[in-house]
Amino acid sequence: MPADSPSAGPLWAAMYHSVADFADPADDPYRVTVTPGRLDRQLRFLRRRGLTGVSMERLLRARAAGTAAGLVGLTFDDGYADFTEHALPALLRYGFTATVYALPGRLGGTNAWDPLGPRKPLLTEDGIRAAADAGMEIGSHGLLHTDLTDHSAVGTELLAAETARSRALLREITGADVTGFCYPYGAVDRRAVDAVRAAGYRYAVAIDPGPLTGLFALPRVHVGQQDTGARLFLKRALHGRRREPVPYGPYPEHEPAEPAGPAAPHAATGEGAAP
């Protein structure tokens, strides 16, 4: 099939964030949390429908080979520490894998970029290694969860740090290649796409990238606490109508060459930087 042809079926990927118990919806103002029980029921729904949750890397490789039928991409943004406590056991219970997009500039910190809170701890180096050792894909969410489309705040050096430097740091932690990038806030423009490509990633995910949709701006569907099996079924059925089709194209079989140019300086770890 030509590289510019639309997919015969929509590439479907679910976007999760935190997995933790909470009693009041007011404790989750950004709708980033699902309880462990809700996640288990959602994964069970997928399994009962003959679907298998996989990492984005595996989904894209299978799609390029024409074997992606029945696969659903599972992604967890922000690298919350509760992934290893609650999400990982559930995924392994169903034989699923997923991609965790971590923030190597905030290791062991919290989600300081969310002004309304609540504060949630983020993965440490050990947590990232534990997820990788369990078969999960580790991708970059940038260094500090910075909106790359804010050109007034993100210059050339910071853009390189958020993309190339974050990839290098995660590779040091895991000892493995880091092929995927997740745009913070789902915000993406042409400059951000070009920076991610230049940094050596093989793909990137957003939320609803519109005309930028492609291998470096893949659409995803938010999954939250209110998503029962019926709602998941409806979201999957409507996905092809609500998102631009993802064109087919070759998926790199080998690691891209390291980007040229000087590396950006190491960003501070933890809470010191502005969200």
Side-chain angles (χ1 to χ4, degrees):
M1 180 174 289
D4 58 354
S5 297
S7 168
L11 184 150
W12 203 80
M15 178 181 66
Y16 287 94
H17 290 79
S18 171
V19 182
D21 287 307
F22 64 100
D24 189 332
D27 295 334
D28 187 39
Y30 297 103
R31 299 188 301 122
V32 297
T33 309
V34 298
T35 62
R38 175 63 75 189
L39 175 65
D40 185 85
R41 289 190 291 274
Q42 290 166 346
L43 299 182
R44 187 189 317 146
F45 167 81
L46 296 177
R47 173 59 73 198
R48 286 179 173 175
R49 297 198 66 84
L51 302 172
T52 300
V54 297
S55 68
M56 288 303 298
E57 172 82 6
R58 181 180 169 191
L59 178 63
L60 291 168
R61 287 189 177 279
R63 185 172 181 270
T67 60
L71 299 184
V72 173
L74 299 180
T75 65
F76 290 79
D77 291 11
D78 302 339
Y80 290 106
D82 55 41
F83 177 84
T84 54
E85 181 180 0
H86 297 304
L88 185 56
L91 291 164
L92 295 177
R93 187 158 56 247
Y94 290 97
F96 290 176
T97 58
T99 302
V100 180
Y101 296 110
L103 295 156
R106 292 189 184 271
L107 297 174
T110 68
N111 55 327
W113 61 88
D114 286 336
L116 298 181
R119 291 290 161 256
K120 290 174 173 283
L122 304 177
L123 288 168
T124 62
E125 287 191 14
D126 287 342
I128 290 174
R129 290 192 194 98
D133 290 346
M136 305 298 125
E137 177 193 3
I138 304 299
S140 173
H141 203 24
L143 277 175
L144 300 169
H145 205 282
T146 301
D147 182 353
L148 303 186
T149 66
D150 184 353
H151 293 204
S152 63
V154 181
T156 303
E157 287 191 9
L158 182 53
L159 187 61
E162 289 288 336
T163 54
R165 184 60 180 163
S166 68
R167 179 174 180 244
L169 291 174
L170 289 172
R171 290 178 68 176
E172 291 176 9
I173 293 170
T174 64
D177 192 15
V178 176
T179 63
F181 186 86
C182 175
Y183 298 100
Y185 306 102
V188 57
D189 60 12
R190 176 55 62 185
R191 187 184 74 144
V193 167
D194 291 343
V196 168
R197 189 193 304 268
Y201 294 95
R202 299 179 195 169
Y203 77 88
V205 297
I207 300 174
D208 186 6
L212 289 174
T213 295
L215 190 58
F216 286 92
L218 296 166
R220 295 178 296 162
V221 174
H222 172 267
V223 177
Q225 179 65 12
Q226 301 305 313
D227 287 320
T228 60
R231 282 173 60 96
L232 281 180
F233 177 81
L234 184 61
K235 282 187 173 184
R236 189 163 190 264
L238 294 175
H239 180 62
R241 301 179 185 178
R242 293 178 172 175
R243 299 289 191 271
E244 294 287 331
V246 178
Y248 273 106
Y251 189 70
E253 288 297 325
H254 303 289
E255 181 178 343
E258 286 299 307
H266 194 300
T269 311
E271 300 300 317

